[in-house]
Amino acid sequence: MCTVCGCSGDGATISEAHGHSHDHAHSHGHDHPHTHTHADGTTHSHAHGHGHAHGHDHDQHDHGPHHPDDHHHPAPDAGTLDYGTGPARAHAPGLSQARMVEIETSILAKNDDYAGRNRTRLDAAGVLALNLLSGPGAGKTTLLVETLKALSGRLPCAVIEGDQQTDNDAARIRAVGVPAVQINTGKGCHLDAHMVGHALEKLPLPPGGVLFIENVGNLVCPAAFDLGETKRVTLISVAEGEDKPLKYPDIFEGADLVLITKADLAPHVDADMATLEANIRRINPKADILTTSSRGEIGLSRWIAWLEAARAARLNDLASAREAEASALRAAAGGAR
Amino acid sequence: MHEMAVCESLLSAMEEAAKAQNFSRVTRVRLAIGRFAGIEVEALRFGFDVVTRGSLADGAELVVLEEEGTAWCFDCSDTVPLNHRLAPCPKCGGERLLPNGGTEMKIKDLEVM
């Protein structure tokens, strides 16, 4: 049973940190009885046979300011505009009337809510969480394996791997002695904050360390979903073509860091590094850009230095925030004396 | 095709609203989708039909209000209107722009019964 959320199953499978998996497809179903009781005690069992489903054609802006006193429902949300209080006073038994319900919220509000919970959890543990995004084959897993080897004994790390199928990537991470949870999204084309929340339950978070979340390889879809990460890192290999940032701007737009990978291949694929970099800057003038290779001379040193600086900044920020909280509490205690 | 996931999220938001605000059927949904929200409206419509089948919003009309984009121009140090991601700044012709408006996807309102 889902303790995070009481969720309605996303079809994803999430492995244990040591490699076994269990099926995480809740099927709580969407069993919404079409029966409900109004404040006046009327119980509707909607058969939708009232014959005027679209007959009102409200333009709600013509109805003037809304009158809270007119609400018929018990404790309606403050954001409700009830246009069901027309001449028919539609909540008479057996009669229904279309009304407008104002929502004004992000479609992805639920994801953002889970992302917020993940963030709270990562803040509490003092973890720098990085969301790694790229198309398939840009070298995310190889970069991770080499990075984890370089950080071994220096920084505690953990990894969440996202792929549609297989736990090959988590196995590669575990082979270098780092705990990894594999999320298989099934048909899903991206990780979402809900899946990551479940993965966090299974992963021993390294206090003060770094959590790498390797997203599903995809240059489009993962961009829209906040996972609760501290920073976004988008990878693009030199072999992918200089104009990828222009063709797929979303994934570059939200990046804090763009890593140009496989730089050792640049001479073999006629990569125009200056144009690639200019195109990244055009889409995202704010991002840091670093060139790396998991093999060969260029290496990972600049990326490792970026990581260590980002972790130090993260821990300092969290420490300052907690010091501020502590002083506020001390001041409150002093004031009460 | 993350539009399918977006539609699932939309359905779950409608189901929650139905519980909280006591309705059993949605006949029209109005969404505001920003130009830079990363949503392909045709894919969204397809996803909506598939995802809402047999649900409280089965057959509901989907109205998509497309919202204009704006961007921060690093050269003007100002927010400027932008209707294409790769268009230059309409004020200075510069290309160092980062969208700061029209990036959201919102549910505006529902017509319900």
Side-chain angles (χ1 to χ4, degrees), chain B residues 36 68-83 88-92 96-103:
Chain B
F36 303 132
E68 295 300 307
T70 61
W72 178 258
C73 174
F74 284 77
D75 297 320
C76 299
S77 288
D78 201 3
T79 293
V80 297
L82 195 73
N83 54 23
C89 170
K91 275 170 72 182
C92 72
R96 300 197 312 140
L97 298 160
L98 206 54
N100 64 359
T103 55

Side-chain angles (χ1 to χ4, degrees), chain A residues 13-98:
Chain A
T13 308
I14 298 172
S15 78
E16 301 293 333
H18 50 82
H20 299 293
S21 67
H22 82 280
D23 198 343
H24 181 67
H26 307 287
S27 52
H28 304 188
H30 293 282
D31 216 8
H32 296 285
H34 282 222
T35 305
H36 57 247
T37 307
H38 287 293
D40 61 3
T42 315
T43 298
H44 289 254
S45 194
H46 284 269
H48 309 303
H50 306 299
H52 56 274
H54 278 278
H56 299 284
D57 200 17
H58 288 284
D59 176 359
Q60 80 276 21
H61 298 296
D62 290 336
H63 287 250
H66 93 274
H67 306 289
D69 293 344
D70 284 345
H71 281 286
H72 284 248
H73 294 287
D77 284 345
T80 307
L81 287 177
D82 189 344
Y83 293 91
T85 54
R89 293 278 165 179
H91 302 303
L95 190 62
S96 181
Q97 174 174 314

Side-chain angles (χ1 to χ4, degrees), chain A residues 23 30 33 44 68 72 90 114 131 135 141 162 185 204 215 224 237 245 269 309 329 335-336:
Chain A
D23 198 343
H30 293 282
H44 289 254
H72 284 248
Y114 288 129
N131 183 0
T141 314
T185 58
N215 218 311
S237 77
V269 294
L329 289 172

Side-chain angles (χ1 to χ4, degrees), chain A residues 187-255:
Chain A
K187 297 200 181 350
C189 49
H190 57 269
L191 292 180
D192 63 37
H194 178 223
M195 298 174 192
V196 170
H198 282 302
L200 288 176
E201 290 184 326
K202 295 175 183 290
L203 195 60
L205 278 180
V210 184
L211 170 69
F212 299 92
I213 306 170
E214 184 182 333
N215 218 311
V216 176
N218 181 330
L219 273 179
V220 182
C221 308
F225 296 83
D226 182 8
L227 305 180
E229 69 268 18
T230 321
K231 302 263 185 202
R232 274 191 184 198
V233 181
T234 297
L235 283 70
I236 177 167
S237 77
V238 297
E240 289 174 64
E242 309 59 69
D243 57 352
K244 276 290 181 302
L246 306 183
K247 290 173 170 171
Y248 299 94
D250 293 353
I251 207 96
F252 293 93
E253 196 172 291

Side-chain angles (χ1 to χ4, degrees), chain A residues 34 46 48 53-54 98-101 103, chain B residues 10-11 13-19 22-31 48 52 55-63 107 109-113:
Chain A
H34 282 222
H46 284 269
H48 309 303
H54 278 278
R99 64 185 163 108
M100 299 300 298
V101 177
I103 305 265
Chain B
L10 170 59
L11 176 60
M14 291 192 290
E15 286 170 344
E16 271 171 28
K19 266 187 233 160
N22 215 13
F23 58 85
S24 59
R25 202 176 155 206
V26 176
T27 51
R28 187 171 64 187
V29 186
R30 294 205 311 161
L31 306 180
F48 184 79
T52 56
S55 77
L56 80 171
D58 195 342
E61 180 191 358
L62 180 64
V63 179
I107 312 172
D109 49 40
L110 309 174
E111 185 187 75
V112 303
M113 292 175 67

